[in-house]
Amino acid sequence: MSENGITMVDENGMRLDGRTAEEHRPIKIEAGVLKNADGSAYLEIGKNKVLAAVYGPRECHPRHMQNPTRAIIQCKYNMQAYSVGDRKRPGTDRRSTEISKIISEALENVVLTELYPRASIDVYIEILQANAGTRCAGLTAASVALADAGIPMRDIIPAIASGKADGHVLLDLNKEEDNFGEADVPMAIVPGTDEIVLLQMDGHMTREEFDRAIEMGVAACHEVSDIQKDALRRRYSAEGCE
Amino acid sequence: MSNEIISEIRRDHLLNLLAKGERADGRAFDEFRPITVETGFIESADGSARVRMGDTEVIAGLKMIPGTPYPDAPASGVMSTGAELIPLAHASFESGPPSPDAVELARVVDRGIRESKMIDMDDLCIEEGKEVWMCFIDIYAINHDGNLFDASNLAAVAALRTATVPMEQYGKGEDRPLKTTCVPISVTMAKIGNDLIVDPNFDEGHIASCRLTVATDENGDFRAMQKGGSGGITVAELGRCLDMAVEKGREIRDILG
């Protein structure tokens, strides 16, 4: 039982939603879902529903943000008002500012920004429905949207969170597990090199638990990566093209 | 903190030194700058600390005010952490609403304190569902020479440990010390090329590809982490960072006393 006295993993190691410790929720990705954007993607993971759109490379506003040697990536992560239990007050808050910053940094690792001096590549992530793990869902969708926009990249970044609930290290916590859980470790990797490009942790974990969380997360990122590539293949296969 | 210009010459100089296993200020890769912690520096605050880490200097102050609890935690106090990167502290800082860097700094410090449960929130209940103490931790950078994360964490933690609940001021009885439990200590490492260094100063932070901030508790367990910057870090490097965070965390804990 967890510190809160709530059982989340039964004696057979099964979770409340029927998953094993190392199993992520069902993931569905569709690339190229928005007409106006240069690239876009729609993603579901469990009950999360996320849209990502890419505009650019285009002129960088505000101009003082321009970098004379490369493009900058400006990500805006936004939770829609109806996406959570209580109404979320629209607009930027400190949480979304931080998430936007770390997602931009992760994407800068793979985008060939040096090809577009002074430009901005704008990435918009909208959380339509939230059920824990939205920053990872958003980054995963954004990577597909960037590829859909034809932006040159070294790799496509997958992201997923692992964590700890009911004393067990678990992959991809859902809302209940996250609310009553003991730790959360969102991460993203470059699948070609296994380098970690986004990493946060909060809660309480021993070194052994954390190492396990990383191991699980990296393995799952590769599974997410396959789903991303499949979405892009479907979009650009002979049949799927308009 | 990304738009400052550090000359290519200086960058090359620092990289050459690192290749020889040296740092510009003579420190070992796993060595912090000298740290001083002065508590009670601001008498108008309910707790305060001024921390110097080499030439980096920050002040953290605590203000406690009675307020209404959140509906989902009617018997728990409330805490909030803010950070301001004021123009007095560095040429690159501007007045105005908090920049993303300031927001990130505040949230990373907040996370360490919150997740370690340093403040006994139940002790901050005045009347269940009606009134609780709200703790506002405000951090000001005074001089920025890198690693504001660890300096700010230390200042906030030192301020909290020496804080007084201002009971008299609000007619709630006699003043009493704020009850704290766990002490989270944050250690920040930067990756430059393939080297990992602790406590990056401004120049080192500027040429680093990424950084990792790790907050540990007394047992060496992890309470919060934040990676920043666009560079990647391998699982092996992450492991070395975690070892360093635990070891250096102990040393800093001793300084705090």
Side-chain angles (χ1 to χ4, degrees):
Chain A
M1 262 208 289
S2 74
E3 289 168 17
N4 307 298
I6 295 161
T7 304
M8 297 214 202
V9 180
D10 71 15
E11 60 277 13
N12 301 318
M14 295 299 267
R15 296 152 74 173
L16 291 176
D17 58 7
R19 287 184 287 153
T20 64
E22 302 171 38
E23 207 174 326
H24 58 72
R25 292 168 286 183
I27 300 175
K28 192 182 114 184
I29 308 177
E30 207 177 325
V33 292
L34 300 173
K35 263 277 184 278
N36 285 349
D38 295 314
S40 61
Y42 172 73
L43 178 146
E44 288 181 8
I45 174 164
K47 290 180 186 165
N48 290 296
K49 296 181 198 289
V50 177
L51 266 175
V54 170
Y55 285 83
R58 61 183 180 182
E59 192 177 347
C60 177
H61 291 289
R63 296 191 69 159
H64 70 86
M65 299 274 290
Q66 287 185 356
N67 185 317
T69 63
R70 61 176 184 86
I72 63 165
I73 293 184
Q74 299 194 86
C75 173
K76 288 262 183 284
Y77 163 102
N78 185 47
M79 269 191 149
Q80 300 194 336
Y82 42 72
S83 63
V84 281
D86 297 325
R87 177 172 183 265
K88 193 221 162 255
R89 226 169 65 111
T92 313
D93 56 15
R94 303 203 312 168
R95 175 177 174 276
S96 64
T97 301
E98 183 196 358
I99 292 174
S100 299
K101 180 172 190 277
I102 59 171
I103 291 180
S104 301
E105 289 171 351
L107 292 172
E108 279 183 0
N109 187 280
V110 291
V111 173
L112 302 181
T113 53
E114 59 273 24
L115 297 179
Y116 308 104
R118 296 186 187 281
S120 173
I121 298 168
D122 299 327
V123 178
Y124 300 103
I125 295 170
E126 292 286 325
I127 309 300
L128 315 181
Q129 184 172 299
N131 193 262
T134 58
R135 70 195 65 188
C136 293
L139 174 50
T140 302
S143 304
V144 175
L146 279 165
D148 181 50
I151 309 268
M153 291 193 284
R154 293 179 184 88
D155 212 334
I156 297 169
I157 295 178
I160 202 144
S162 50
K164 184 181 158 195
D166 197 3
H168 298 261
V169 178
L170 303 173
L171 184 73
D172 186 28
L173 303 190
N174 65 24
K175 188 86 167 57
E176 291 73 32
E177 291 168 334
D178 188 46
N179 283 354
F180 297 103
E182 293 106 55
D184 185 26
V185 187
M187 72 187 83
I189 67 165
V190 177
T193 61
D194 269 1
E195 276 192 310
I196 297 165
V197 288
L198 179 146
L199 178 65
Q200 293 183 296
M201 181 260 165
D202 61 68
H204 185 182
M205 272 184 163
T206 62
R207 176 65 185 268
E208 290 70 33
E209 289 166 341
F210 183 77
D211 285 348
R212 178 81 190 108
I214 291 291
E215 189 189 348
M216 256 186 201
V218 170
C221 275
H222 284 282
E223 292 174 28
V224 175
S225 171
D226 289 341
I227 300 169
Q228 289 175 307
K229 286 176 198 151
D230 182 57
L232 287 162
R233 252 184 237 116
R234 271 185 284 119
R235 163 85 166 130
Y236 292 101
S237 64
E239 220 175 316
C241 279
E242 289 158 27
Chain B
M1 286 171 235
S2 55
N3 292 327
E4 305 83 359
I5 303 297
I6 167 170
S7 73
E8 291 300 314
I9 296 166
R10 181 116 185 97
R11 178 192 299 265
D12 288 345
H13 172 61
L14 291 173
L15 291 175
N16 288 335
L17 281 175
L18 288 171
K20 288 189 284 182
E22 293 170 20
R23 292 168 79 171
D25 53 11
R27 284 186 287 161
F29 284 15
D30 65 351
E31 192 179 346
F32 264 84
R33 292 168 289 182
I35 296 171
T36 60
V37 180
E38 183 187 347
T39 54
F41 174 64
I42 307 289
E43 285 173 41
S44 49
D46 299 315
S48 68
R50 175 186 201 171
V51 166
R52 289 193 179 86
M53 195 170 266
D55 288 334
T56 285
E57 182 176 345
V58 303
I59 295 176
L62 178 71
K63 277 291 197 186
M64 297 186 67
I65 299 164
T68 39
Y70 287 113
D72 57 348
S76 283
V78 173
M79 74 168 275
S80 150
T81 310
E84 291 212 45
L85 303 178
I86 49 177
L88 164 138
H90 196 267
S92 67
F93 294 161
E94 290 169 15
S95 324
S99 63
D101 287 335
V103 170
E104 185 184 26
L105 174 62
R107 285 183 60 85
V108 171
V109 173
D110 185 279
R111 207 171 290 147
I113 293 168
R114 195 179 294 276
E115 299 298 335
S116 68
K117 304 186 169 67
M118 179 182 184
I119 304 175
D120 182 350
M121 287 296 186
D122 297 334
D123 187 49
L124 295 182
C125 182
I126 301 170
E127 190 187 348
E128 185 169 341
K130 292 257 164 60
E131 204 176 30
V132 297
W133 287 105
M134 303 198 297
C135 300
F136 294 93
I137 304 166
D138 284 287
I139 298 160
Y140 287 83
I142 301 300
N143 196 65
H144 175 31
D145 187 28
N147 198 9
L148 289 170
F149 286 93
D150 296 348
S152 300
N153 164 267
L154 203 52
V157 163
L160 286 170
R161 273 171 34 119
T162 52
T164 303
V165 184
M167 305 287 277
E168 283 164 27
Q169 187 184 347
Y170 294 96
K172 308 278 179 206
E174 271 182 40
D175 283 0
R176 59 181 174 90
L178 175 68
K179 224 164 145 184
T180 57
T181 55
C182 179
V183 177
I185 298 289
S186 118
V187 172
T188 296
M189 286 131 299
K191 181 178 169 184
I192 304 176
N194 290 316
D195 294 315
L196 297 168
I197 53 166
V198 292
D199 180 28
N201 65 21
F202 182 87
D203 287 346
E204 289 167 338
H206 192 67
I207 63 169
S209 62
C210 67
R211 65 175 148 73
L212 183 70
T213 301
V214 180
T216 53
D217 64 17
E218 286 85 350
N219 300 320
D221 289 350
F222 304 120
R223 298 294 189 148
M225 285 183 207
Q226 176 92 338
K227 179 188 166 294
S230 61
I233 185 166
T234 65
V235 174
E237 286 165 344
L238 175 61
R240 279 163 57 205
C241 285
L242 298 179
D243 291 340
M244 251 197 272
V246 172
E247 189 193 323
K248 295 291 135 186
R250 292 216 169 92
E251 288 177 19
I252 293 178
R253 197 173 292 282
D254 289 342
I255 295 172
L256 204 55

